Amino acid sequence: YTKVLGQEGGAIVSDDTVYGGQVVEALAGEKTSGVSDFLEHTCVPLRSGDELVGVMCAFGRSENLDSAQNDVFMTKILDTSAPLLTEFKAIIAKERGKVESVLQSMEEGVLLVDANYKVSVINKTASLFLDCENQRPTNISDITILLKGALPIQEIVSNVMDSGEIKAQKRVSINSRYLGFTFLPVKFEREIIGVGIIMRNDSEEENLKNLREDFTAMVVHELRAPLTVIRGSADMVLKNREKFSPQDMEAFLNQIKDSA
């Protein structure tokens, strides 16, 4: 009907051969086997100004359903409703654009995997982290390949989907970065409809950690040699002081001082 109305300028269409929500084509006076319950129906175009935005169909048993008076009444109501519908759709599109803008400007990577393990959302940062800016992943298997075995993401997502619990994975090395992962169950009316995956770039923290470890190793190495001399010389003096001449004692004390 939408196609017919669009071609014929939005005229009201009526038919009395509708059964089970589906139009049954039958010529006047011709019997249709297997169909015992017919409904009258009227389809009225929805307009917003000069634009045809949809079609509203009414079904029922009343003989007045497709009357001219009823058509005028429905048209007036729907002509009032259609602009509101169009405005509402514009508001939804605007709000969706705001959400998309925020999502794409986030420093964290964001992925949303639905209940069928399809990737329904991925922002620019996540594409950058996974090195897939030129080819958008479509499902969890694609993500597994992009992670190159660094993380059992299918197992984790499945676990979150079943348990509804938040999972976290610290610093996984992927594409020359250290990424932290948080897996969040996405719920609608208490039903889990997907899993949100937040990816953080922890490379700077990991580099600082490595610097601390390197510094600690260097300090331990640099201190080990002089401390060994100090301890050994002091030990020797304490155990054998009576056997050493004043010159030997002075030599040991000088070694301790130099190492200190």
Side-chain angles (χ1 to χ4, degrees), residues 68-205:
Q69 183 181 1
N70 189 60
D71 291 343
V72 171
F73 176 70
M74 291 179 63
T75 301
K76 286 182 178 179
I77 293 177
L78 296 173
D79 280 350
T80 304
S81 304
L84 298 176
L85 176 62
T86 304
E87 183 180 348
F88 183 62
K89 288 169 65 179
I91 292 172
I92 292 177
K94 184 177 180 181
E95 294 303 315
R96 184 180 295 158
K98 289 180 182 178
V99 173
E100 182 69 17
S101 178
V102 171
L103 187 68
Q104 295 301 334
S105 62
M106 288 177 64
E107 292 184 358
E108 294 82 7
V110 179
L111 271 169
L112 180 60
V113 179
D114 65 22
N116 296 317
Y117 298 93
K118 302 289 185 182
V119 177
S120 56
V121 173
I122 180 170
N123 69 351
K124 292 179 182 178
T125 307
S127 297
L128 177 65
F129 287 166
L130 296 176
D131 195 21
C132 62
E133 295 170 281
N134 297 326
Q135 186 173 3
R136 186 181 186 276
T138 59
N139 53 48
I140 195 70
S141 298
D142 293 341
I143 302 297
T144 301
I145 294 170
L146 291 169
L147 290 174
K148 301 172 183 176
L151 187 69
I153 192 166
Q154 286 180 286
E155 180 181 340
I156 298 173
V157 168
S158 179
N159 187 275
V160 173
M161 202 90 73
D162 293 337
S163 67
E165 297 177 356
I166 298 173
K167 303 288 182 182
Q169 188 77 32
K170 292 184 178 179
R171 294 179 194 154
V172 180
S173 179
I174 298 169
N175 297 328
S176 303
R177 292 184 181 88
Y178 289 95
L179 301 179
F181 288 79
T182 302
F183 298 84
L184 306 161
V186 179
K187 297 181 181 180
F188 179 72
E189 295 181 350
R190 298 185 180 182
E191 181 184 356
I192 296 176
I193 60 171
V195 174
I197 305 170
I198 310 298
M199 294 182 281
R200 302 174 307 280
N201 187 358
D202 291 340
S203 297
E204 186 174 350
E205 292 183 23

Side-chain angles (χ1 to χ4, degrees), residues 221-253:
H221 179 267
E222 293 297 325
L223 288 177
R224 184 177 288 119
L227 285 173
T228 301
V229 173
I230 291 171
R231 181 171 181 174
S233 299
D235 230 21
M236 188 72 71
V237 170
L238 288 172
K239 291 179 180 178
N240 302 290
R241 70 181 74 180
E242 298 173 356
K243 298 180 182 179
F244 296 137
S245 64
Q247 292 83 5
D248 292 333
M249 291 291 288
E250 186 176 354
F252 281 121
L253 290 172

Side-chain angles (χ1 to χ4, degrees), residues 5 10-14 42-45 47 68 71-72 75:
L5 289 172
I12 294 175
V13 178
S14 299
T42 297
C43 291
V44 180
R47 297 187 184 89
D71 291 343
V72 171
T75 301

